[in-house]
């Protein structure tokens, strides 16, 4: 290795303060010893932890008897499930998917009873492939669109994991499962799902910014099994030593792409320093961008990945998508026309880009005496919960929302999605459109596009074409204009590029 020459400035003159004569015993950093100490410290930190049990899977004879062709056909027919083993070196065998609930939970009658109670017919594609993997104790990355049952995909194996550990709850001394979710709404939704399937008296708690901090702390310190939290608030409790994370053996990073978008990476990093490294980790995401890959690499060990469908997922294909190219100042009038033509049973979510626009539109409706609710990050937590509840129960049939507040919202009977502002990117468009057409229903999406959205025109055309939707000519023209603009820009850049000086 080349020796770094400390103590010289750019001019090559030796700086006075660290001249050898002024600093005779220059301290030498012993990196090897530091590394060794760190490893020792790590080992000490995780010494004396109770053992973890991770593999609970008993493959049913029906699942085991599926032929390779059957498995492949089944995956293809279930929204094109793609699996891979990301373990380096020799690949493991990806387990066959489970076609029925019984195939995976027959030894867990309480879980089966819960599923019967809610009346689900069969596992969703992500569940059918994720369950046999997670139940074997393998880390999993689940990529599937919102509304495809990812919550139960990780909750059910989590319940089994929690209640099948070699040590008792008391010996554990803290929560056994942690779910990190990007927003309060999503955390609350996961909690609701948890409560719906309560299993063997498992206790859960939801921890989020804006909620009752003292109440949350009381419950955390009194001992729960599952903590569902937004990273910000959990990190806050962690820093104040209100919560013991060492007992966690099953970790979920839910909607990882969204958590990154919201800038939670540093908090996640800090939280995970205190979670034992030999835990099991499940990560879900609706998209698979670089950031999420990086997260997976840092925090999952030899995971398998299950990827369901592509951008043009099932939900989007059951939605009729209309795109209207319009001038910014005409948007309000068009929306008014749309709202006026709503039928009594219709339920619409209006997506806007800014909190301010959400307030603005909501107050416009209010002035006209039209009942409406709004959802965005600047509203108080209780108002947001109320808004969602009103919309779910149908007290209001119009919800104005920003992407931040609405991601993953699970309201079944939305008939229309109205994109007042085009979203930041095409993935978000797909998510928004997926808010309707859920659970086998059909839905309609109306999207306003203005000149300033020209960057996304070509991607939008692609989505529309894939889903056999009408592509407006104005949109095609817009995409072409953008392409020309880019080419022109490139040429100009080339012309203006300064001649490079020859390097020394
Ligand atoms: P995601 O996390 O993928 O966005 P959710 O887990 O919120 O989706 O699930 C969306 C809805 O589908 C929830 O209301 C959930 O109860 C329901 N659901 C989950 N699993 C099934 C299933 N196997 N069959 C029918 N509905 C299901
Ligand atoms: Mg979810």
């Amino acid at each position: 290795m080349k020796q770094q020459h400390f103590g010289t400035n750019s001019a090559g003159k030796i700086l006075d303060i660290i001249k050898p004569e002024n600093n005779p015993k220059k301290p030498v950093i012993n990196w090897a010893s530091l590394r060794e100490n760190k490893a020792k410290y790590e080992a000490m930190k995780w010494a004396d932890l109770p053992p973890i049990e991770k593999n609970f899977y008993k493959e049913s004879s029906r699942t085991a008897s599926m032929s390779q062709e059957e498995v492949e056909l089944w995956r293809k027919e279930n929204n094109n499930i793609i699996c891979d083993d990301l373990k380096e070196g020799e690949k493991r065998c990806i387990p066959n998917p489970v076609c029925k609930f019984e195939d995976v939970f027959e030894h867990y009658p309480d879980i089966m009873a819960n599923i019967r109670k809610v009346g689900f017919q069969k596992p969703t594609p992500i569940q059918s492939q994720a369950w046999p993997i997670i139940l074997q104790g393998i880390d999993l990355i689940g990529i599937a669109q919102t509304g495809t049952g990812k919550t139960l995909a990780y909750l059910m194996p989590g319940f089994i994991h929690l209640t099948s550990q070699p040590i008792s709850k008391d010996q554990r001394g803290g929560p056994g499962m942690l779910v990190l979710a990007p927003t309060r709404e999503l955390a609350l939704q996961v909690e609701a799902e948890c409560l719906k399937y309560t299993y063997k008296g498992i206790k859960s708690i939801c921890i989020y910014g804006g909620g009752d901090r003292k109440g949350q702390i009381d419950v955390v310190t009194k001992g729960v099994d599952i903590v569902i939290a937004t990273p910000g608030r959990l990190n806050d409790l962690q820093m104040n030593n209100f919560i013991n994370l060492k007992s966690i053996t099953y970790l979920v990073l839910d909607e990882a792409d969204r958590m990154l978008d919201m800038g939670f990476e540093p908090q996640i990093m800090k939280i995970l320093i205190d979670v034992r490294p030999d835990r099991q980790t499940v990560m879900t995401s609706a998209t698979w961008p670089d950031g999420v890959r990086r997260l997976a690499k840092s925090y999952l060990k030899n995971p398998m990945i299950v990827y369901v469908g592509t951008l043009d997922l099932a939900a989007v294909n059951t939605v009729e998508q209309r795109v209207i190219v319009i001038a910014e100042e005409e948007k309000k009038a068009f929306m008014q026309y749309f709202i006026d033509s709503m039928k009594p049973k219709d339920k619409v979510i209006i997506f806007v880009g800014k909190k301010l626009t959400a307030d603005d539109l909501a107050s416009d409706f209010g002035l006209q005496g039209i009942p409406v609710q709004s959802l965005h990050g600047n509203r108080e937590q209780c108002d947001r919960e109320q808004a969602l509840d009103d919309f779910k129960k149908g007290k209001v049939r119009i919800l104005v929302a920003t992407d931040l507040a609405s991601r993953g919202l699970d309201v079944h009977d939305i008939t229309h999605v109205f994109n007042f502002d085009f979203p930041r990117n095409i993935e978000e468009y797909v998510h928004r459109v997926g808010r309707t057409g859920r659970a086998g229903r059909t839905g309609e999406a109306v999207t306003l596009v203005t000149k300033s959205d020209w960057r996304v025109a070509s991607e939008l055309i692609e989505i529309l074409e894939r889903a056999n939707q009408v592509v407006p000519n104005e949109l095609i023209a817009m995409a072409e204009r953008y392409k020309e603009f880019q080419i022109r820009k490139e040429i100009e850049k080339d012309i203006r590029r300064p001649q490079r000086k020859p390097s020394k």
Side-chain angles (χ1 to χ4, degrees):
M1 217 174 82
K2 213 177 122 191
Q3 193 74 38
Q4 177 92 38
H5 193 221
F6 290 107
T8 45
N9 68 11
S10 55
K13 219 169 70 186
I14 293 174
L15 294 172
D16 280 350
I17 39 166
I18 35 176
K19 260 187 193 167
E21 61 268 27
N22 292 348
N23 190 11
K25 279 187 227 119
K26 194 162 86 181
V28 180
I29 298 172
N30 186 341
W31 291 107
S33 130
L34 273 184
R35 259 195 299 276
E36 199 179 308
N37 278 342
K38 183 166 179 277
K40 263 190 212 150
Y41 171 77
E42 276 286 306
M44 226 158 63
K45 183 170 174 184
W46 302 116
D48 303 326
L49 280 178
I52 308 183
E53 197 80 59
K54 287 186 190 167
N55 187 351
F56 310 103
Y57 189 52
K58 296 188 194 86
E59 194 177 44
S60 76
S61 53
R62 189 189 9 221
T63 308
S65 70
M66 286 172 92
S67 70
Q68 199 52 41
E69 292 78 50
E70 276 177 282
V71 168
E72 270 160 31
L73 182 73
W74 199 90
R75 286 188 183 138
K76 207 170 175 74
E77 285 177 348
N78 279 271
N79 289 359
N80 198 17
I81 301 173
I82 296 166
C83 317
D84 197 7
D85 184 5
L86 300 188
K87 181 170 178 263
E88 286 185 10
E90 201 179 322
K91 300 287 178 216
R92 295 158 297 187
C93 207
I94 312 256
N96 291 349
V98 290
C99 308
K100 295 189 169 168
F101 292 117
E102 288 83 356
D103 288 337
V104 58
F105 299 127
E106 62 177 337
H107 306 290
Y108 302 94
D110 293 356
I111 287 195
M112 278 311 299
N114 270 333
I115 291 173
R116 286 206 191 91
K117 203 168 66 192
V118 290
F120 291 163
Q121 301 295 313
K122 62 179 176 71
T124 65
I126 184 82
Q127 290 165 356
S128 71
Q129 189 60 73
W131 280 335
I133 295 176
I134 303 177
L135 276 174
Q136 281 187 48
I138 296 171
D139 281 7
L140 177 91
I141 303 161
I143 311 286
Q145 207 198 3
T146 333
T148 51
K150 292 193 288 296
T151 320
L152 285 189
Y154 64 74
L155 273 187
M156 295 297 194
F159 291 160
I160 293 173
H161 174 105
L162 270 183
T163 51
S164 312
Q165 288 309 306
I167 54 162
S168 74
K169 182 176 163 172
D170 291 339
Q171 288 168 303
R172 204 177 59 207
M177 171 171 167
L178 169 65
V179 181
L180 290 179
T183 63
R184 309 155 189 188
E185 279 80 10
L186 284 165
L188 285 167
Q189 252 174 44
V190 174
E191 190 195 25
E193 207 84 332
C194 239
L195 292 173
K196 212 158 47 180
Y197 300 95
T198 44
Y199 175 71
K200 294 192 174 173
I202 290 175
K203 271 213 300 200
S204 58
I205 184 200
C206 196
I207 293 177
Y208 48 84
D212 168 11
R213 189 167 185 267
K214 170 128 195 347
Q216 291 174 354
I217 291 170
D218 279 353
V219 184
V220 174
T221 45
K222 277 208 190 82
V224 285
D225 302 288
I226 304 179
V227 171
I228 303 150
T230 53
R233 173 56 64 93
L234 185 68
N235 184 223
D236 160 34
L237 295 189
Q238 173 195 21
M239 302 304 253
N240 288 297
N241 281 327
F242 284 127
I243 186 163
N244 166 22
L245 298 174
K246 270 193 170 174
S247 53
I248 288 156
T249 54
Y250 187 90
L251 169 77
V252 180
L253 304 173
D254 201 7
E255 303 234 13
D257 50 351
R258 196 47 166 193
M259 289 204 277
L260 291 184
D261 280 354
M262 296 184 62
F264 278 137
E265 197 166 358
Q267 283 91 347
I268 294 175
M269 200 179 91
K270 283 189 250 169
I271 290 167
L272 295 193
I273 288 172
D274 283 345
V275 182
R276 56 192 283 181
D278 58 346
R279 66 190 179 244
Q280 183 172 9
T281 310
V282 177
M283 184 169 96
T284 83
S285 184
T287 54
W288 185 228
D290 284 347
V292 179
R293 285 165 209 244
R294 198 181 56 233
L295 210 63
K297 225 179 158 115
S298 313
Y299 301 120
L300 278 76
K301 278 218 180 90
N302 294 328
M304 286 188 180
I305 180 166
V306 174
Y307 186 93
V308 179
T310 48
L311 256 186
D312 59 341
L313 289 144
V316 185
N317 290 336
T318 59
V319 178
E320 191 190 328
Q321 299 162 67
R322 278 204 293 145
V323 171
I324 289 120
V325 180
I326 197 169
E328 187 66 43
E329 57 276 13
E330 288 169 4
K331 277 160 90 170
K332 266 196 181 179
F334 188 91
M335 185 191 64
Q336 187 69 44
Y337 158 79
F338 173 84
I339 295 297
D340 290 344
S341 57
M342 268 175 75
K343 296 186 197 73
K345 283 245 163 89
D346 285 352
K347 209 181 230 192
V348 58
I349 179 159
I350 299 177
F351 281 107
V352 296
K354 296 195 183 107
K355 299 164 191 168
L356 221 69
T357 320
D359 281 338
D360 180 31
L361 296 187
S363 73
D364 274 5
F365 286 126
L367 286 176
Q368 298 177 57
I370 300 173
V372 57
Q373 269 289 13
S374 69
L375 207 59
H376 60 71
N378 269 8
R379 295 200 71 186
E380 293 286 328
Q381 179 55 20
C382 55
D383 292 336
R384 287 161 69 167
E385 278 163 39
Q386 184 68 47
L388 197 55
D389 199 54
D390 284 356
F391 188 57
K392 267 193 177 159
K393 297 206 172 106
K395 276 191 200 155
V396 299
R397 309 206 72 86
I398 303 173
L399 179 74
V400 186
T402 58
D403 284 317
L404 214 68
S406 69
R407 173 73 171 259
L409 285 191
D410 182 33
V411 179
H412 290 277
D413 55 348
I414 297 175
T415 57
H416 291 79
V417 165
F418 188 96
N419 292 315
F420 184 83
D421 294 319
F422 198 85
R424 298 167 300 152
N425 55 46
I426 203 73
E427 270 100 3
E428 205 63 56
Y429 172 82
V430 174
H431 290 305
R432 285 182 180 185
V433 170
R435 300 300 85 223
T436 181
R438 286 163 88 83
R441 292 182 176 87
T442 52
E444 205 182 316
V446 176
T447 303
L448 305 188
V449 171
T450 68
K451 276 195 296 204
S452 60
D453 301 315
W454 63 340
R455 270 176 210 83
V456 292
S458 70
E459 284 173 308
L460 181 57
I461 291 172
E462 212 172 291
I463 298 273
L464 294 174
E465 280 177 347
R466 278 192 198 173
N468 288 326
Q469 304 289 317
V470 178
V471 182
N473 289 333
E474 294 102 308
L475 194 65
I476 299 173
M478 202 185 247
E480 279 166 4
R481 275 202 303 276
Y482 185 62
K483 218 180 188 171
E484 279 165 24
F485 165 76
Q486 274 186 315
I487 293 170
R488 252 202 331 268
K489 221 169 58 177
E490 278 304 308
I491 295 172
E492 277 167 20
K493 225 172 26 192
D494 272 348
I495 295 172
R496 270 200 240 112
R497 192 166 290 154
Q499 292 277 305
R500 273 206 207 112
K501 284 186 195 134
S503 51
K504 285 178 210 163

